[in-house]
Amino acid sequence: MDQSVPYTAQSLAGDLRALGVAPGDVLLLHASYRCLGFVVGGPQAVVLALLDVLGPDGTLVVPTHTPDNTDPADWRNPPVPEAWWPVIRDQMPAFDPARTPSRWMGRLAETVRAWPGALRSDHPQVSFAALGRRAPEIVCGHRLDDGLGEESPLGAVNRLDGQVLLLGCGHDSNTSLHLAERRQSSPPRTSTGSAVRQPDGTSRWATWVEMATDEGDFERLGADFEAADGASIGRVGAAPTRLMRQRALVDFATAWLAANRQRADLRP
């Protein structure tokens, strides 16, 4: 271990302030906890640092996605036999915002999801959790067929002029770029499905048509955004960290995708 002293909630709060996180911010966090180094108190201390900096008027938002509650026909990591698909669709527990854990979102997202007072949107695949003053308006009304669009928590963060914090992770984890995909003139669509909760608490397999997402060029997009001075770059603990205004990011990405993905389609 290379660090000379352990990081603490107090030292991490100082790093966040130096980067530009301010009281009252709406902050959408994507994080790799292991990149922070040794933190006294673990993920709990990191969340305490974030809440301290944001203050009583701020709001912390995290993705709490559940990619295991998707159509098994699309599973690749790993795939499952086709003979299993009907059983999985029939027996998958319905998504429950209060009980269903996120998957592959990291320890910090799970810590926020389980934090007292946190609220979570009711989308069976791409939910978000929020903690703070603006949490109700961020998580409410998350439409099934607009998981990462204007009527999602991403759209709410945009309307509230929130910030995005990439803590120890890259733009391939930057879900706000999907909002830019949704703003393209004709985004591709795909059929998907999940186990959804009925009013009586039972589970039903539902299918719908949604935007098809593609993160393949997000790192290149993000590098161009940073080259245009779109982000504040520093460290929080040992983690390389980027802070950016979501509106500036999504506006830049909307134009970038229209130009670059279109050009790619036109190549012979």
Side-chain angles (χ1 to χ4, degrees):
M1 185 174 296
D2 294 333
Q3 47 183 114
S4 58
V5 295
Y7 301 116
T8 66
Q10 183 177 11
S11 70
L12 296 178
D15 292 345
L16 290 162
R17 292 188 180 98
L19 194 65
V21 181
D25 278 349
V26 171
L27 186 70
L28 173 56
L29 171 70
H30 300 283
S32 171
Y33 173 74
R34 65 180 178 82
C35 289
L36 279 162
F38 182 87
V39 179
V40 178
Q44 178 185 357
V46 181
V47 175
L48 287 171
L50 287 157
L51 296 177
D52 177 45
V53 175
L54 292 172
D57 291 328
T59 306
L60 179 61
V61 187
V62 294
T64 52
H65 300 177
T66 47
D68 46 340
N69 188 12
T70 54
D71 196 322
D74 298 325
W75 291 0
R76 298 291 180 268
N77 295 308
V80 293
E82 185 172 353
W84 293 13
W85 298 354
V87 179
I88 291 171
R89 292 173 184 137
D90 184 60
Q91 296 298 319
M92 178 72 70
F95 174 77
D96 185 334
R99 294 181 175 87
T100 305
S102 64
R103 188 175 185 189
W104 300 331
M105 297 294 104
R107 294 175 66 185
L108 289 178
E110 268 295 275
T111 301
V112 173
R113 181 192 71 81
W115 202 269
L119 303 178
R120 190 182 189 187
S121 67
D122 193 13
H123 194 285
Q125 293 182 4
V126 287
S127 65
F128 289 76
L131 184 61
R133 189 167 74 87
R134 311 304 289 267
E137 58 196 290
I138 290 170
V139 303
C140 72
H142 195 171
R143 277 177 33 192
L144 194 65
D145 62 350
D146 194 29
L148 298 170
E150 304 294 345
E151 301 306 316
S152 76
L154 291 179
V157 170
N158 195 259
R159 289 188 292 276
L160 293 169
D161 195 20
Q163 299 212 77
V164 174
L165 185 70
L166 301 180
L167 196 163
C169 58
H171 288 280
D172 55 343
S173 299
N174 195 343
T175 58
S176 294
L177 297 178
H178 293 304
L179 184 57
E181 287 188 304
R182 188 68 179 85
R183 291 181 177 181
Q184 300 306 297
S185 59
S186 298
R189 311 283 285 180
T190 188
S191 178
T192 189
S194 289
V196 299
R197 189 177 45 170
Q198 298 293 93
D200 63 359
T202 60
S203 178
R204 173 179 68 88
W205 188 261
T207 59
W208 67 96
V209 175
E210 173 62 286
M211 176 185 72
T213 61
D214 180 6
E215 300 86 11
D217 52 7
F218 280 7
E219 286 286 13
R220 186 161 59 97
L221 192 170
D224 287 351
F225 178 69
E226 291 178 22
D229 295 325
S232 298
I233 300 175
R235 285 189 177 270
V236 174
T241 305
R242 302 165 176 88
L243 179 71
M244 62 213 78
R245 300 221 74 83
Q246 198 218 43
R247 283 182 184 172
L249 171 70
V250 172
D251 289 348
F252 180 95
T254 300
W256 191 99
L257 290 171
N260 288 274
R261 286 191 178 175
Q262 181 180 9
R263 282 206 297 270
D265 292 343
L266 292 176
R267 291 190 188 114

